[in-house]
Amino acid sequence: MADLKDRIEGLRKAFEAEALKVGDAKSLEELRTAFLGRKKGHVTLLFEDLKTVPAEDKREAGRQVNAFKTFVQDGLLALEGKVRSDGRPARAMDLTLPGRKKYVGAPHPLVLFQQEIENIFLGMGFAIEEGPEIETDYYNFEALNFPPHHPARDSWDTLYIKDDLLLRTHTSPVQIRVMEKKKPPIRIIIPGRVFRRETPDPTHLPMFMQVEGLVVDEGATFAHLKGTLEYFIRALFGEKIKVRFRPSFFPFTEPSAEVDIECIVCDGKDPSCRVCGGTGWKEILGSGMVNPQVLKNVNIDPEKYSGWAFGLGIDRTAMFAYGITEMRHFYENDLRFLRQFGAK
Amino acid sequence: MKISLDWIREFVTVDIPRQELLDRLTMIGLVADTVEERDGDAVLDLETYANRPDTLGHLGVAREIGAMLGLSLNEKNWPLAELPQATTEIAEVQILSESLCPRYCGLVVRDVPVGPSPDWLERRIEAMGLRPINNVVDVSNYVLFATAQPIHTFDFGKIGGGRIVVRKAKRGETLKDLDGRTLELTTDMLVIADESRPVALAGVIGGEASGITGATRDVFIESANFDPVGIRKTAKKLGLSTDASYRFERGADVGFAPQAALMAASLLTQMGGQASRGLIDVYPKPHQPKFVRLRLRRIAELLGVDVPESFVVEVLGRLGFRVEGTHKGVWRVEAPTFRVDVGLEADLIEEVARFYGYDRIPSEFSPVRSFDLSVNRKRERLGKIRQTLLGQGFDEVINWSFADPEKEAAAGSGLRPVDIQNPISSRASVLRTTLLPGLLENAAWNLNRGLEGVHVFELGDVFYWEGDKHREELHLGLLTTGLLPGAGWTSAPAETDFYVLKGAIEALMEALRFEPVAFEDRDHPHFEPGQALALLYKGLAVGCLGALRKSLAAASAGDRTVFAAEVDLTSLFEKTPRIFQYAPVPKFPGVSRDLSFLLDRGIAYQEVGQALAKLNPSLLEGFELRDRFSGPSIPAAKVSLTVRFRFRHPQRTLVAEEVDRVEQDIVGHLRSTLNIQLREGKIDNRT
């Protein structure tokens, strides 16, 4: 018995000494074989020797041998923790596992882009106004200086509910509603859904989002319109973007201007550019000085006050900004599309 | 409008490089969408505006170019071979409807050899994208595209009695037009008639019977001016749009009608015809000149730049305006008859600005002279709703406001939808009364593409008739079905359920401080019977939530259960939320105890709360449900609820005995009111 005990004690010391030298998988395997090897392992041999131990000592001897086996196994396990197969020390925790994220929903890209636009104007002291989507002919057209039966209405192809009731074709009727109830100075933007009787194609849909802006004040000038819209465009597309204003026609503004920005897709170098058609310019805003007739329609004296206004399509501007080629993606609500705009 | 640069040179001598010309045209508002090369010519497709009919002809565009480059228009001669016979001896013109036809000019060209046009004329017609027909028709098209004044040519031999009568159509009259269609005329339509019947639909299209054919010898040239609204109404009513009606409905140049007739006559006489002497010109109320006052000061005030006086006078002069100084810096400006768009000082300022150059107007920041200090509550609230729902893991969608009437009916909101008179398609012919069908389509779209769960919300308006008034309300729609997002390597994917939906609603009502809300069992056509709740705030039902009817959900989500909610935000926002007040953070520790009860399945959890509210025990700070359980260890008709009760005294630390007393009150009260039994031992947690 004492003999066995000494042997075990000797082997324990030998194991501890060898264990200190283990630095890689190979030496660990050698140590394992030396102690647990099926034929000549020290522990295996101890079990062999147990057979010769007298019956009355067998129980205690067995316990000691088993305890030593557990000690070796634990020791080997602990060593396994220190070496990896390629020899690198193992990690206590693998911190490179992916983190646990709460899923946060994705905001709709048009809402996101609209908020971006709103924030720029809020910073310039504009307030946000809204209005109904079902409108009367008066607010949608007549008050905005579209006479009945005027061909100018053709560009605002309309979905009618009744003769006098329609789905607003632009957010401009809200200009009239606000000017009717508030006195200048007025400094507002008007986001919202608008509707046109358009045959769907990649850049036209019967429903889309618009943001309208209106300033009415003493001394409001075309120079202010230019300065503000240039600032807005640079805030949205970067400091370096080129902007140009060119004459256009809208019944409710005079003079009117279309605002183009340089094509950030091809820089005007690709004659078949799907964004600018090779012109190098992309139209993004309609604008102008509020037609004095519109001011008269809401009892604002055009001799005392002047105004300027603008409107832009959120969808098409967002398409340009994000490189989206099909407007209908915004309304298909494919989550694989929408979620690109959220926290991933 | 197609514009041939070669043709332009008939009117103004342009010799700058083409690209420079195009760039400069853009900057005065004339944008060429495309440029087509044609045998050394370039044909522009020019964008034109509804208020500028003068640019619907080469002359008008040439005038713009002239003003832009400081060039005068070329003088052109229109020689005429005349007969001794006066026009009035051959033909007679009578206008019976002066308001619809302010002017009518005409003359006859005899012995026109009808045949192919000369090459130069065919080239012009082809440049406009048309096929040459014969010299007479081509000449009238030539004048139209050259000057924007539509003219019409009749076979004079077919004009009964040589009489032209401009009148409204009589009841039941028809006209077979040049394209062979039989037009049913109504009494508000203006026609050109001979002594007995209509021979043309005025300003829109000619009649077949009086059209030019190979057999035509004498041609009557009509160059008239028609009321734009009359032409537009007629053309719209008949579904016709012609080069003539397109120009008349925008406004033709009333002053140019005689000149256009003479141009056409000159060309036809150059081809061998002989014109009757003198023009018939019926012009009962000659155009009164339009004068507009223009102030130099006002130009600076509107544009924000000082434009030199000399520039103003020069540019307006080149554009055909008569400018006469009245005081220092003030002019009386007479608009030419072709500028039907000019009536206000601002219109003239636009002309000045266009040619001065928008790019030369400085860019200035618009001064803020006052702030709108009112808070836009609605937007603030919508922001909170979005934030809350995104945080709850719902994605935001935007659906069409249009709806399929069949799907609307199936959804069964019970509201009368608003019809669109002229919808894009029969499946989008009404406006939605509920957001639900749109959300179901989103579920179908995404599940069909392999996603295992859809959890979405939309903020948008719904519409319906209430009597003869239309209503427009802002709604919130929510839908959840399938696996919840956010499963990772540490947690298995979980299936959504009703309480995910309800939790989202509770969270957003809390975020908006519309508290406390109540829920009531209430069936609704969207939902399975007994699986729907109404959401109430201050006694008003503002929404509903539940498990969608299988028959409604199956087409989109198959076997999956779909949970959905809809909240009427317009009604909710009319209510006042709870005013937020801070509550002091407790100074003394509280005690919480978990009690498990057995209760009948028929009793709703809400009733437990109501019973406790009625008892209103002192020291009870609050309680929440910790566990709900049913199974073999308890009777089948019962469920087990574990509720955590939180006790606290505001001024001191609690002792166990007083908590015991309150706890006994609670247990006793629940037993006596709802027959709820205490289930097992209690757990005492000091917190």
Side-chain angles (χ1 to χ4, degrees), chain A residues 129 132 135-140 142-144 172-184 186 188 190 214 216 293-300:
Chain A
E129 294 278 353
E135 266 296 359
T136 62
D137 186 89
Y138 177 77
Y139 284 105
N140 195 74
E142 237 184 294
L144 289 162
S172 312
V174 187
Q175 290 190 10
I176 302 296
R177 290 182 176 276
V178 171
M179 288 192 286
E180 277 180 348
K181 65 174 202 255
K182 287 191 181 169
K183 291 289 133 213
I186 290 168
I188 56 169
I190 306 153
L214 173 71
V216 181
Q293 187 57 51
V294 173
L295 295 177
K296 279 186 201 158
N297 292 347
V298 291
N299 292 317
I300 290 177

Side-chain angles (χ1 to χ4, degrees), chain B residues 155-458:
Chain B
D155 182 336
F156 189 59
K158 304 281 173 59
I159 304 295
R163 279 190 67 192
I164 292 284
V165 184
V166 186
R167 60 162 170 87
K168 286 186 179 172
K170 293 172 185 162
R171 194 178 302 279
E173 275 184 332
T174 59
L175 175 73
K176 195 167 192 191
D177 73 14
L178 280 168
D179 293 331
R181 288 168 298 213
T182 301
L183 308 176
E184 308 279 341
L185 306 179
T186 54
T187 54
D188 52 344
M189 295 176 179
L190 191 70
V191 296
I192 311 299
D194 64 7
E195 59 183 4
S196 57
R197 66 201 152 84
V199 292
L201 187 62
V204 182
I205 195 161
E208 189 181 58
S210 60
I212 305 298
T213 66
T216 300
R217 285 188 57 213
D218 300 340
V219 173
F220 181 82
I221 297 171
E222 165 196 291
S223 177
N225 190 274
F226 298 109
D227 172 56
V229 173
I231 295 293
R232 181 165 168 90
K233 282 181 169 172
T234 298
K236 281 247 159 185
K237 207 164 177 178
L238 293 171
L240 293 172
S241 178
T242 60
D243 284 321
S245 71
Y246 190 83
R247 284 162 180 77
F248 280 127
E249 66 183 20
R250 282 160 177 73
D253 177 3
V254 72
F256 194 74
Q259 176 68 17
L262 292 173
M263 272 175 77
S266 166
L267 289 169
L268 289 180
T269 59
Q270 287 171 49
M271 293 169 194
Q274 291 216 298
S276 57
R277 190 166 46 77
L279 197 65
I280 293 181
D281 183 359
V282 185
Y283 195 13
K285 286 188 189 126
H287 173 81
Q288 294 301 307
K290 255 190 304 190
F291 295 103
V292 180
R293 182 181 61 157
L294 176 62
R295 294 160 295 177
L296 188 66
R297 168 180 68 79
R298 199 65 188 151
I299 297 176
E301 280 172 1
L302 277 187
L303 299 183
V305 68
D306 289 314
V307 179
E309 276 191 70
S310 56
F311 181 87
V312 175
V313 174
E314 154 97 20
V315 146
L316 291 180
R318 291 215 181 271
L319 287 170
F321 292 87
R322 282 185 48 193
V323 184
E324 187 190 323
T326 54
H327 310 78
K328 174 78 187 140
V330 183
W331 298 282
R332 196 171 94 125
V333 179
E334 183 187 342
T337 48
F338 53 81
R339 288 304 298 268
V340 293
D341 59 310
V342 173
L344 298 173
E345 189 178 33
D347 300 327
L348 295 173
I349 294 175
E350 176 171 70
E351 294 309 289
V352 172
R354 277 201 307 136
F355 290 92
Y356 182 75
Y358 282 13
D359 51 342
R360 290 169 67 195
I361 297 172
S363 300
E364 287 169 12
F365 187 73
S366 152
V368 185
R369 298 201 309 127
S370 79
F371 280 99
D372 184 348
L373 297 174
S374 61
V375 179
N376 192 331
R377 289 268 173 249
K378 181 182 161 197
R379 297 197 69 76
E380 197 180 86
R381 286 169 177 168
L382 291 181
K384 280 185 182 166
I385 291 175
R386 274 202 177 90
Q387 196 182 10
T388 304
L389 293 177
L390 295 175
Q392 296 285 320
F394 285 79
D395 298 307
E396 183 173 19
V397 296
I398 298 180
N399 285 301
W400 301 108
S401 300
F402 317 113
D404 181 339
E406 280 179 25
K407 288 188 181 164
E408 270 293 315
S413 68
L415 300 167
R416 187 154 66 92
V418 173
D419 289 288
I420 300 169
Q421 273 184 353
N422 53 342
I424 306 275
S425 117
S426 61
R427 291 190 314 176
S429 62
V430 298
L431 296 177
R432 57 186 180 178
T433 62
T434 156
L435 302 183
L436 189 68
L439 297 176
L440 270 173
E441 274 183 39
N442 305 147
W445 177 282
N446 287 289
L447 294 172
N448 288 342
R449 281 161 183 76
L451 273 82
E452 291 183 296
V454 177
H455 320 278
V456 290
F457 75 96
E458 179 176 12

Side-chain angles (χ1 to χ4, degrees), chain A residues 303-314:
Chain A
E303 281 296 307
K304 185 168 180 204
Y305 295 102
S306 52
W308 52 268
F310 66 88
L312 99 162
I314 297 177

